[in-house]
Amino acid sequence: MEHYGQLQRKVSHMWDLVVTQAREQLRASKHRRKGDRLVITWQEQTYWLVNRPPPGVPSVLEQGPEQGSHSAKRELRTKDSGFYRQEIECIRKALSRARVKSSICLEAYLKFSDQYKPHDPIMSGCLPSNPWITDDDAYWIMNAPSVAMPTRLRVERWAFSFWELLGDSMGRTHFLEFLGKEFSAENLCFWEACEELRHGAQAQLSHRVDAVYQQFLAPGAARWVNVDSRTMELTLGGLRQPHRYVLDLAQMHIYMLMKKDSYPRFLKSDLYRGLLADALVPPETRRRVFPFMWKPRHSNPSPALLPTSVELASGKSAIIPDDDGGSQEV
């Protein structure tokens, strides 16, 4: 009953505050212009979109009596010595953890920004042109998922990280070609099969899990992959009740194997160097910080047509172009 009374007082106080604020806002809005009223309305909507509690998080008014101060005191009394030993151990680990200086973090951010700046269409512009403002779709055609020859920026991005290579369908194609020369193409095929299993449809999930197991993990499989015994034991235990994440441990093991072993050799191989040398380089254009804000100047339809001496002598006004691309009346 005590908590229920506190809840009623909180609700009444908050409701009175809301009503008072609404009356004052309504009275003040009558003296504002229409544009100001629209700006204030948008600000209020943005505030509530940002400060809205996420789903599943209880607010102050939704907390019941069992979550009050009395339950917290009972919880403190029931904590034993093992709980405090665990707390002390966690605090000791936190104190002994290696810290990174702010200067090192800032240098890493600067290095990351310098690395990705040429690949940012907003900061460096689109080559050969921005298709959104020029109606030229050459940029989209050159950067399609599958093209005859990729651009140099696209090939350079494969060397940033292994995930950048796997995130590009064309990069995976060339990496699969390299793994085929090293007789380890089944590693990438297994990784792609796990990705299809994770993001695929739920229908016939158990059948698809069994197909991946029989093709890559079963003894004597046609495309057997090298997985350690501990990971294989955990994977076999999860196959009793198959789900879409049952092969995550084996997939991560193969991923780290390709990242540490095959990926560095791919970057040093003649295949990647040949792709980098033969990559397409679009023609350079003038780069601007914000190219979408640039507007082309209106050119004079006939710059050679200047006012004649007869028109100037008669006192008639004429429009002549100036050096800045504009015009002036004389």
Side-chain angles (χ1 to χ4, degrees), residues 83-146:
F83 173 81
Y84 292 105
R85 291 195 190 97
Q86 185 178 2
E87 288 288 328
I88 294 173
E89 186 66 23
C90 292
I91 294 173
R92 285 178 178 175
K93 290 182 179 180
L95 292 175
S96 60
R97 189 179 305 157
R99 306 295 179 183
V100 181
K101 295 182 179 180
S102 303
S103 58
I104 300 178
C105 295
L106 293 176
E107 290 177 359
Y109 279 117
L110 290 175
K111 183 179 179 181
F112 178 84
S113 302
D114 294 338
Q115 187 180 37
Y116 280 88
K117 183 179 178 181
H119 303 265
D120 193 337
I122 295 180
M123 301 302 296
S124 301
C126 298
L127 298 178
S129 62
N130 191 341
W132 293 101
I133 61 178
T134 60
D135 295 334
D136 183 12
D137 58 350
Y139 176 79
W140 290 333
I141 294 176
M142 289 187 298
N143 293 275
S146 59

Side-chain angles (χ1 to χ4, degrees), residues 3 65-79 84:
H3 284 281
E66 67 277 3
Q67 297 181 1
S69 59
H70 297 283
S71 60
K73 293 180 180 179
R74 287 196 300 270
E75 184 181 359
L76 288 175
R77 286 196 297 266
T78 55
K79 291 179 180 178
Y84 292 105

